Amino acid sequence: MRFFLMIALSLLLTGCGQCLPAPPPEAPASAEEPAPPPVPAPEPKPESVPESEPEPKPEPAPEDFVPVADYVPGVRVELKYAGSDNFTGQVIYDFTEAYLRYGTAQKLAAAQEALAAQGYSLLVWDAFRPAEAQFRLWEICPDPVYVANPEKGFSSHSRGNTVDVTLVLPDGSPVEMPTGFDDFSSLADRDYSDVPEAAAVNARLLEDVMTDCGFKPYAGEWWHFSDTDSYPVEEDFVPGK
């Protein structure tokens, strides 16, 4: 009996082993996911090149015409013949910027610097004057004491080496001088004995500084000074054109 029981148990165990579910098959190894595309490296920034300073303008030649205000620091300009505030009551030329030969402008800059050290400034009433403007002045006032005859060599203003100037304070306020501009009386000459003392002192100061800086004064007009260096009359150059 025991023998038959053992056989039956053996068969039972063998059959149960066959009925056990098979273990699930292992999942196949997954294929590797594609790698993301490489991120391009940023392009290197070009090295910044420092901005080069503009090349300095070449220094003008002594005979070149230059704007006075560009080469005479602190100078003031009020061209009387650019408006009607002159003895003619007419506009003689249509530009408002004073021009001189560069050599003359350098001397005027020295005078301006010397006067600034004493608390004054130059005010330019007239500088380069085109030849045609000189003809207009002569037509209105044909008196060689006050207007140069253009038929006999023009005015030194037409050479670009002559200025009509006065003294003012640095803020442009006037100081006492012998006369106003284009005064044709005897008070305008360089005999300062007939004008107030303050006016005489100021006129002498202007004359002394301008003379020291290379200008020669005209006896008939306290405001008129010519460069001791001369230049030919200029008949073609017109400021602003």
Side-chain angles (χ1 to χ4, degrees), residues 89-238:
Q90 302 175 30
V91 176
I92 302 300
Y93 45 65
D94 60 0
F95 54 88
T96 58
E97 192 168 22
Y99 279 79
L100 289 172
R101 303 281 188 173
Y102 178 59
T104 304
Q106 286 181 300
K107 295 182 179 182
L108 194 67
Q112 168 68 16
E113 184 177 4
L115 289 167
Q118 301 185 56
Y120 297 98
S121 176
L122 288 170
L123 172 64
V124 177
W125 279 334
D126 195 20
F128 171 70
R129 187 187 302 163
E132 62 181 21
Q134 191 63 30
F135 275 99
R136 292 193 61 189
L137 288 175
W138 181 253
E139 289 173 1
I140 297 169
C141 181
D143 185 341
V145 174
Y146 301 105
V147 178
N149 185 349
E151 300 289 354
K152 296 182 178 180
F154 295 93
S155 163
S156 57
H157 280 283
S158 298
R159 299 177 184 274
N161 72 335
T162 298
V163 286
D164 293 336
V165 291
T166 186
L167 289 182
V168 294
L169 297 178
D171 64 358
S173 302
V175 301
E176 187 174 2
M177 301 302 282
T179 67
F181 180 58
D182 274 351
D183 185 300
F184 294 157
S185 73
S186 61
L187 299 177
D189 63 24
R190 294 189 183 277
D191 173 16
Y192 305 127
S193 63
D194 51 357
V195 300
E197 181 60 25
V201 168
N202 292 332
R204 289 193 186 98
L205 171 63
L206 175 62
E207 182 176 337
D208 289 345
V209 170
M210 292 292 285
T211 302
D212 290 344
C213 292
F215 290 89
K216 55 186 176 182
Y218 170 55
E221 299 171 347
W222 62 262
W223 57 81
H224 182 108
F225 297 89
S226 293
D227 189 346
T228 53
D229 293 322
S230 187
Y231 299 91
V233 170
E234 174 58 49
E235 299 188 61
D236 297 324
F237 173 71
V238 178

Side-chain angles (χ1 to χ4, degrees), residues 48-72:
S48 59
V49 179
E51 294 184 3
S52 59
E53 296 183 1
E55 293 184 4
K57 294 181 180 180
E59 184 176 8
E63 67 274 13
D64 290 344
F65 282 95
V66 297
V68 171
D70 289 356
Y71 291 90
V72 185

